[in-house]
Amino acid sequence: PSASLGFTRSAFAASKPDYAKPNWLRVGLTFATTAALWAILIKQHHDDVVEYERRKQERQHKCTECP
């Protein structure tokens, strides 16, 4: 059993990252994903504020002709 353990391979490669040559595709994807998530967050916040203002106006509406 101990002889076969010497020939096993790990599923993960343990190598140090080379900071002199960054992976620009990965860097670009990371920044693009971050920017997209922020855009979605800001748009959702804007939509929520618009909905809040609409409901606030609806509560203040005191029309006798409305059902």
Side-chain angles (χ1 to χ4, degrees):
S2 62
S4 65
L5 291 177
F7 296 108
T8 60
R9 296 179 61 185
S10 174
F12 303 101
S15 62
K16 292 184 179 180
D18 185 10
Y19 295 113
K21 292 190 281 182
N23 185 346
W24 289 112
L25 177 63
R26 192 176 217 176
V27 171
L29 285 173
T30 301
F31 279 118
T33 303
T34 302
L37 288 173
W38 272 103
I40 291 169
L41 181 71
I42 290 168
K43 182 186 178 307
Q44 184 64 49
H45 174 70
H46 174 72
D47 293 345
D48 289 346
V49 169
V50 168
E51 180 67 17
Y52 171 76
E53 292 296 329
R54 185 189 68 78
R55 289 183 184 192
K56 190 166 91 173
Q57 288 292 332
E58 195 174 89
R59 281 194 310 268
Q60 293 173 355
H61 182 74
K62 303 267 194 265
C63 180
T64 58
E65 299 165 1
C66 296

